[in-house]
Amino acid sequence: MEHASGPSTPEGASPRDRGAGVAGVRAAAGGVTARAVAPDGAGIAFDVRGTGDPLVLLPGQANSRHWWSTVRADLVGYRTVAVDTAGTGCSDDVVDRDWSTRRLARDVVAVLDAAGIDRAHLYGTSMGGRVAQWVAADHPDRVGALVLACTTAGGPDAIPPAPEVLRRLADPADNAAELRRLMVGPETTGPLTVLGDDTMSPAARAGHRRASARHDAGDAIATITAPTLVLHGADDEFTPPGNGRRLAARIPGAELLVLPGARHACFLDGRATAAVLTFLARHPLR
């Protein structure tokens, strides 16, 4: 993969001012893809679209930023920054072998630095919501408002999927149909952007599974100071809605919206987008 030279930066500028960590850019469908440099040296790809307050979009496990393709244009009034989580899309696998949500949160901070963004709103979904929890807890000065959708704080209080759901996901004969059912329901047909990135390496796939399974931010989320909206689908069998309720109960001042009829990919629902836009409008960065 070839990359053009990164943007020049003035000598003596701070990392945030000069966009530190930009490894380069390359042409991509719908815009330009930039690459930040994570603390371990891994290249993390992202792209920026639109104008307004920055809004970082973090996708689910084993998915690239294309997870957001069908709803990104609806986030009107925001400069959206969509990130390829390490191991997906145009990003490298982690270099330090630390596949953890807390380590992936440091990649998000590297993206903010590379894009020259001091503070941004965060919208994290599924595993991206787990990552967003750590960004908000560990780097509160970089976060405006926080939206967590279809996710969990993890740890011993997490509510897992039913054993039958896990069995069907583990069965190659059932996996594709079950994943679609869990995401949007069996009645939805046509292409979906939330069914995984088939370019991932086996090591990255295993790393994503490990990061999600070992996530435990139950204590850390109690320290989050960002205004927070928790979204969940009432019919989410992959991350049952009790997880969203517990998450909202532990984050000080968090608001909870459970969407009737929505499944795991509740962020695709127009009601979710409307709620997010209303919430963010109440919490401008300035």
Side-chain angles (χ1 to χ4, degrees), residues 100-106 109 122 127-140 143 146 148 153 211 214-221 223-224:
S100 69
T101 50
R102 199 169 198 174
R103 179 243 176 266
L104 296 173
R106 294 193 288 272
V109 175
L122 292 187
M127 190 180 86
R130 294 167 169 86
V131 174
Q133 292 163 37
W134 284 118
V135 180
D138 287 345
H139 308 276
V143 180
L146 176 66
L148 303 172
R214 295 181 179 179
H215 176 70
D216 183 356
D219 293 331
I221 60 173
T223 71
I224 290 176

Side-chain angles (χ1 to χ4, degrees), residues 12-247:
S14 71
R16 297 182 196 180
D17 291 337
R18 61 185 180 149
V22 176
V25 298
R26 74 176 187 83
V32 172
T33 295
R35 280 170 61 88
V37 178
D40 70 349
I44 304 299
F46 66 96
D47 70 66
V48 182
R49 299 182 192 174
T51 58
D53 282 350
L55 172 61
V56 177
L57 305 175
L58 302 177
Q61 176 183 314
N63 279 269
S64 72
R65 65 196 135 110
H66 298 299
W67 168 274
W68 295 97
S69 295
T70 58
V71 297
R72 191 172 180 184
D74 297 329
L75 297 168
V76 179
Y78 293 90
R79 178 160 45 117
T80 57
V81 182
V83 181
D84 281 342
T85 307
T88 73
C90 298
S91 290
D92 298 337
D93 288 5
V94 301
V95 174
D96 59 9
R97 300 185 182 180
D98 177 12
W99 287 104
S100 69
T101 50
R102 199 169 198 174
R103 179 243 176 266
L104 296 173
R106 294 193 288 272
D107 292 353
V108 177
V109 175
V111 167
L112 292 176
D113 289 345
I117 296 171
D118 281 321
R119 292 175 67 238
H121 300 310
L122 292 187
Y123 189 177
T125 49
S126 198
M127 190 180 86
R130 294 167 169 86
V131 174
Q133 292 163 37
W134 284 118
V135 180
D138 287 345
H139 308 276
D141 60 318
R142 309 304 297 271
V143 180
L146 176 66
V147 181
L148 303 172
C150 51
T151 193
T152 175
D157 291 334
I159 304 170
E164 181 61 18
V165 169
L166 296 175
R167 186 201 65 75
R168 287 193 295 264
L169 284 173
D171 187 338
D174 293 338
N175 174 270
E178 179 67 359
L179 187 58
R180 176 179 284 270
R181 187 188 73 81
L182 291 170
M183 287 293 187
V184 296
E187 67 282 354
T188 302
T189 59
L192 286 175
T193 59
V194 295
L195 300 180
D197 177 0
D198 60 10
T199 69
M200 293 179 71
S201 69
R205 286 189 182 281
H208 275 228
R209 288 193 297 271
R210 185 160 64 250
S212 281
R214 295 181 179 179
H215 176 70
D216 183 356
D219 293 331
I221 60 173
T223 71
I224 290 176
T225 56
T228 302
L229 172 64
V230 176
L231 294 172
H232 224 100
D235 294 344
D236 188 348
E237 297 178 55
F238 194 43
T239 304
N243 289 288
R245 296 187 182 96
R246 292 180 181 185
L247 190 62

